[in-house]
Amino acid sequence: QVQLVESGGGLVQPGGSLRLSCAASGSNFRINAMGWERQAPGKQRELVAGVSSDGRTVYADSVKGRFTISRDNAKNTMSLQMTSLKPEDTAVYYCYATPLGLGPRSWGQGTQVTVSS
């Protein structure tokens, strides 16, 4: 019932910044938690950041202090502000939304972030 569309990925030099966005749409949906995961070639998929319906946030240790997650419940959008980017941040980033009731997460299509000089 929930469709997620991501945007904002691209190529950036080390130390640069990018802002990822995720927009939710559909009918008769209610979202609990939202967040971002990423997967790099040869590495396991990992949680990057998450935000609950009441604004509580959690971050991976590797991005803490550099990334900021936020959500706008009125607009059904979520963003990930990434600063001081490192080559190891290179990955495909996927946004997710967890329904309020029982059911699986919804996932975005993924957006490529490449950090390279």
Side-chain angles (χ1 to χ4, degrees), residues 2-46:
V2 179
Q3 292 78 48
L4 303 178
V5 179
E6 302 179 52
S7 62
L11 174 65
V12 64
Q13 292 185 327
S17 300
L18 282 175
R19 187 178 185 89
L20 305 183
S21 296
C22 181
S25 63
S27 61
N28 298 320
F29 68 90
R30 296 176 181 177
I31 298 174
N32 190 357
M34 302 183 72
W36 300 82
E37 293 188 355
R38 68 185 181 186
Q39 187 161 33
K43 297 182 179 180
Q44 290 187 329
R45 189 166 174 139
E46 65 175 346

Side-chain angles (χ1 to χ4, degrees), residues 4 14 30 41 57 59 68 90 95 97 104 107:
L4 303 178
R30 296 176 181 177
T57 59
Y59 297 92
T68 302
T90 297
C95 67
W107 294 92

Side-chain angles (χ1 to χ4, degrees), residues 66-78:
R66 299 187 297 118
F67 291 10
T68 302
I69 189 171
S70 62
R71 66 188 293 178
D72 187 331
N73 291 334
K75 296 182 178 180
N76 290 320
T77 59
M78 175 184 60

Side-chain angles (χ1 to χ4, degrees), residues 38 62-63 66-67 84-91 93 113 115:
R38 68 185 181 186
S62 60
V63 308
R66 299 187 297 118
F67 291 10
S84 301
L85 284 163
K86 304 174 180 179
E88 50 263 44
D89 294 319
T90 297
Y93 286 69
V113 173
V115 185

